[in-house]
Structures are given as structure tokens and as C-alpha cells.
Amino acid sequence: MLTAKLHSGEVVSLAETMNKNYLESLRRKEVFYCQTCGDELILKLGEKRIYHFAHRKNSKCLPEYERESDYHLSGKLKLHEWIKSQGLEVKLEHYYPEIKQRADLAFTYGQHQYCIEFQCAPISEEVFRKRTKGYQKLAIEPLWILGGKNIQRRHSHKTSLTSFHYLFLKENKLQQIYLPAFCPQTNQYIQLDNLLTLSTRNAFCHFSLTPLMELRIDDFLAPNISKLPPISDWLRERQHFKIKLLGKRSKETTNFLTELYSSALNPYYLPPFVGIPLKYSLAIETPSFIWQGLIFLKHFHGCEQGKRIYFHEIYTTVLLEIQKGKIKRRSLPSIKRNILPFAIEEYLELLAFNGVLKKVKKHHFIINKSMKMANNMEEWMQEDRFFYTEFYKST
Ligand SMILES: [Zn+2]
């Protein structure tokens, strides 16, 4: 921790001073107490770590908050300094006794109360939801910021994300989805946006890096996302992904292949519109190639031109497959609306845009041309080339 209470009730904050001589003399004459539990604290002024207060061994004080890393401590200090630089009053390590939670930072802006949780170590979804709810009960908006060291950048537009990362995904007012992160080692505020999920773990996205001190509080609270999704990167890698995915022996791939083979379908000859990335495909943890393949199998395969396709029928199929465990939804606790139906809607709209379907009216389509599978590789490649030339134009 970076704060402690003195006998007089006054609070010492290490954000105010890190002067060793001063702190040593303070340590000689004062006793420090934890603001949360009231226990005595030790002021650690060692050479290896950031100066901080620590409980004695076996303390029962908020166990999930203990053992803060230097990365976390320095992040808190830098975020504290940044919010102050925005002309706002900010409290470090503010404790809310009603909910027994200690926020890293708390501040008021306009009419709203906010707190920042700078989360560096993985926590469970349950803890994440519980803490979020606690703040909301007090009408405080929690702003979760992911510790930047958790972000793996594979190359310019590619990243690998686990369910822990997805906890932080949120929406701005324009319902654009992004992930806020901060790295105290590089002093960069990192925003991942325009996510296109490829597989359960991999996604393409835009990384925007801003030196923390150049970030304005308004851009942090309501970011403006204007870049286009990294479609071209995805196009370049999509075949590779398909081959890799089909070679995997995961339960969902095996289930999917069994269904295809029982209908005598070759997965490599599935039409090119099976497996396209969508803005909302992150609502589904199962790779797009599988869930869109299941839709193809159950609603499109072998159908003649003119067959009616209704959004609610497709959506019902997806919900059923989720129930059966063949499609897995992704848990997104920081996104307030249910975006699953938007993924299905987006998919059907895109198919209509590319001439696979024809739109009659909202949520009502017809099949535009007979759904036949390619007979050989050459035919398939021709179809694929044609589809993606059009697809590319539409994005
Ligand atoms: Zn304590």
C-alpha cells in the first residue's frame, strides 16, 4: 500500500513524497495504521522495491489486495499523478467500508463518481463481477484498467487474449468496443480496439499507444475510435487459421467435424462466407469458422434460390447450439447489453451485402443463389477469389 493513517488521524501518502530521509525520520517518531483494518503497518524503505506500507505476516486485511507488485504500485502512483494533472482531486487507495473494498484511485468528474481499478494480476470473473457490483451499489462507476504487461502483441495488429482480458472490454457511447490498459514501465496508455476475433485466443485489433501524460481525461472516459478494422491482416492469414483450426483436436472442432462428415461435407470446401470475422464475433468464444459453419449446415446447405431465411430462426439455432455446448458464448461482464443477437444480425447483413442472401426487409432474407458446395479444389478457389474480391470492396 502507499497510504497509512497516523495516530492523529492524518493520512500519509507516499504519492506526496518519496524522500528517504524524511520518511526515515517519520518512521522513527510515528506509528502507521492501515486505513482499512486499523492494524499497525510497517513502512518499507528498502532499496529493491518501491517504498510502501505492509501489514505484518498473517494479517487478515483484505487478503485479495495484499502482495502488490512494484508494477502495480508504480502504476497506481503514475495514474494518481495523471489524474491530478487533469485538474481533478483524486484519492489514493480509497476504502469504502460499506462494501469492504479499496479502490486504487477515486475521483469525481462532472456529476459522476469514478474509481480506478488497475488490475495487473489475473483475477476470476467472479471477483471482477463482485467488485464491479460493489461500486455500482454506491453509484460509483468502476474504471478497470488492465496492467499493460498482460498484453501480448504478436505483430502490428495481432494479439492473444484470454478470458481474463475479455473482462476489461467495454463500450463507448457509440457502442464501439475497446480495452483500456496502462504500462507504468513505458508510461503508455494502451487502447485495443476494432477487435476481430480469429479463434478462441487470437484476435486482430488496433493498438493505439498514448504517453499517459498526453492523454486527456475525456479521451479516456469516452474514447473516439475512428480507425477501420484490420481486415486486410485477417484476409492474409485466414487460410492458415482454417488449416490450423481443423487440425486441432479440441472438443468443439471434433464435434463440428463429426457433424460435417455425417452430412458428407468436406470442411475444406465449405463456402468462403463461412468463417468471416465480424465486429460482434467476439460475443462468441467458438471460432467464427465453426459457428458460421453450423449455421450453414442447418440453414443454407443444399437450399435453392428463393428460400426464406429469418433472423429469429438462425438466432434460435445458435441459442440451441449454445445449450448443447457446441457453441460457446463469451463472458463480457463490462459490456452492458447482450451483443450476441448483433453478431447474428451482422452476419446475415454481410451475407446480403455480398449477394449470398437478398434482404427482403429487416430480419427477413431470401437465398440469392443455390447453395452448392464446390466439387473440387479448383472450383473452390475460384469461388473464394470471387467472394473475397467483393468482400474486400465492402469493407
Ligand atoms: Zn489492513
Side-chain angles (χ1 to χ4, degrees), residues 34 36-37 55 61:
C34 171
T36 304
C37 67
H55 283 92
C61 178

Side-chain angles (χ1 to χ4, degrees), residues 171-182:
E171 283 188 312
N172 67 5
K173 285 205 181 84
L174 298 171
Q175 301 186 321
Q176 294 167 311
I177 296 168
Y178 66 102
L179 187 161
F182 170 60

Side-chain angles (χ1 to χ4, degrees), residues 260-318:
L260 286 180
Y261 293 144
S262 67
S263 305
L265 295 181
N266 179 340
Y268 291 98
Y269 288 178
L270 283 174
F273 58 81
V274 170
I276 30 187
L278 307 161
K279 192 169 70 172
Y280 288 117
S281 53
L282 53 90
I284 302 172
E285 202 175 290
T286 303
S288 300
F289 186 69
I290 294 182
W291 69 260
Q292 291 171 14
L294 288 169
I295 292 178
F296 173 78
L297 194 63
K298 287 167 205 292
H299 290 275
F300 300 157
H301 175 231
C303 290
E304 293 302 322
Q305 187 179 20
K307 190 204 166 197
R308 289 167 192 281
I309 299 288
Y310 295 100
F311 162 81
H312 72 267
E313 286 177 3
I314 310 271
Y315 187 49
T316 306
T317 297
V318 171

